[in-house]
């Protein structure tokens, strides 16, 4: 069996973050070195607790969760309780976590891990605002060369934004951090709304999770039922987009995704378009290609993978 993929998940759970974490834990090809947590969907005190709840739901209380930034680098924190509920994880009734929060700051854990592990072996999987990653790069710029790749959920171009007409939530919350990360010379795979809007949590798909009959299966169904209500109303679709698990699915089965290697630049000046990810899809500028920009996913196969793997927990 080939070596497992070593990853750090940087996250702001969030129901879709939770499903991504469960998928990673359910996948023997992946070794989760740690979970770093950032403020985003809800404040840090809740996202760190939610991350620990999910580790315990997955039966992984030994996993290590590190709290990081409580606010973006420059702007005020914007949260998304309207989508995710007051706790960020509304839906299932999960017990208060017993496992401890690690003492080390998330950015220090990221730096220490990348400097310790062999260069080019660790993938970062950001599922929220990029504040912790930018902080880690500021603390130790040498990590940029040691990161295998960053596979992140964020951005959107053809579909427009979901928090403003121009911007997707994760990038909008900390556009300055996103700008730093995209300019750091690290190989980046960006999974934007253009892709995740194809991965809808239809009633049939939610029922398939419930039918697993396990604690994690039922909790996923309850999370998705809560989470999709906001988006169904907004988009008029059967179900809402399941964003963050696409990142882990990309690691497991990249052949389900397609995109193009292009330049993506982040707007950090204009109030009107703050946080927009300007994707040079047609190569009309000479800006350097810094991102593999994903546009499509085989969503049937994506959900088959999710249900199959969550079923093993
Ligand atoms: C992203 O924003 C959050 O609400 C979700 O967890 C996802 O990471 C989608 O725009
Ligand atoms: Ca998220």
């Amino acid at each position: 069996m080939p070596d497992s993929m070593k990853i750090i998940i940087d996250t702001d759970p969030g129901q879709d973050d939770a499903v991504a974490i469960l998928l990673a834990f359910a996948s023997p090809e992946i070794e989760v070195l740690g979970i770093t947590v950032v403020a985003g969907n809800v404040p840090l005190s809740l996202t760190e607790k939610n991350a620990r709840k999910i580790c315990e739901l997955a039966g992984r209380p030994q996993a290590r969760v590190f709290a990081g930034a409580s606010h973006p680098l420059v702007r005020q924190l914007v949260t998304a309780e309207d989508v995710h509920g007051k706790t960020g994880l509304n839906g299932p009734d999960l017990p208060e976590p017993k496992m401890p929060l690690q003492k080390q700051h998330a950015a220090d854990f990221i730096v220490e891990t990348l400097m310790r592990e062999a260069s080019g072996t660790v993938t970062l999987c950001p599922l929220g605002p990029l504040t912790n990653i930018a902080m880690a790069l500021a603390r130790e710029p040498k990590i940029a060369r040691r990161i295998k790749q960053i596979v992140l959920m964020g951005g959107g171009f053809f579909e427009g934004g979901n928090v403003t007409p121009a911007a997707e939530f994760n990038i909008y919350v900390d556009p300055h951090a996103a700008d730093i990360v995209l300019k750091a010379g690290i190989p980046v795979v960006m999974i934007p709304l253009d892709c995740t809007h194809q991965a809808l949590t239809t009633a049939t798909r939610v029922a398939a999770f419930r039918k697993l009959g396990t604690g994690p299966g039922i909790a996923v169904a309850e999370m998705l039922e809560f989470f999709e209500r906001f988006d169904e109303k907004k988009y008029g679709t059967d179900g809402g987009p399941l964003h963050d698990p696409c990142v882990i699915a990309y690691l497991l089965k990249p052949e389900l995704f397609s995109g193009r290697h292009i330049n993506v630049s982040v707007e950090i000046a204009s109030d009107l378009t703050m946080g927009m990810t300007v994707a040079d899809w047609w190569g009309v500028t000479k800006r350097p290609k810094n991102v593999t920009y994903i546009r499509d996913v085989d969503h049937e196969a994506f959900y088959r993978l999710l249900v199959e793997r969550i079923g093993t927990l």
Side-chain angles (χ1 to χ4, degrees), residues 137-155:
L137 283 165
R139 284 182 196 198
E140 181 47 271
K142 283 196 200 109
I143 64 170
R145 280 185 285 112
R146 303 179 67 86
I147 298 169
K148 180 176 179 192
Q149 62 176 344
I150 294 180
V151 183
L152 66 89
M153 191 281 136

Side-chain angles (χ1 to χ4, degrees), residues 41-57:
N41 287 323
V42 284
L44 185 69
S45 58
L46 290 170
T47 55
E48 67 85 355
K49 192 199 277 191
N50 291 344
R52 289 184 291 134
K53 283 183 179 175
I54 297 305
C55 291
E56 292 187 0
L57 176 67

Side-chain angles (χ1 to χ4, degrees), residues 12 16-17 41 127-128 170 244:
D12 62 338
D16 61 326
D17 302 73
N41 287 323
L127 311 176
N170 289 342
D244 294 340

Side-chain angles (χ1 to χ4, degrees), residues 51-75:
R52 289 184 291 134
K53 283 183 179 175
I54 297 305
C55 291
E56 292 187 0
L57 176 67
R60 299 288 280 269
Q62 309 306 335
R64 294 190 298 160
V65 175
F66 301 82
S70 59
H71 53 84
L73 295 183
V74 178
R75 283 160 60 82

Side-chain angles (χ1 to χ4, degrees), residues 181-211:
V181 170
L182 293 193
K183 286 180 176 159
I186 305 161
V188 172
V189 177
M190 178 178 270
I191 306 199
L193 299 178
D194 305 311
C195 168
T196 64
H197 278 188
Q198 298 165 22
L200 295 174
T201 59
T202 63
T204 316
R205 288 167 175 172
V206 174
F209 287 111
R210 191 177 291 283
K211 217 172 134 207

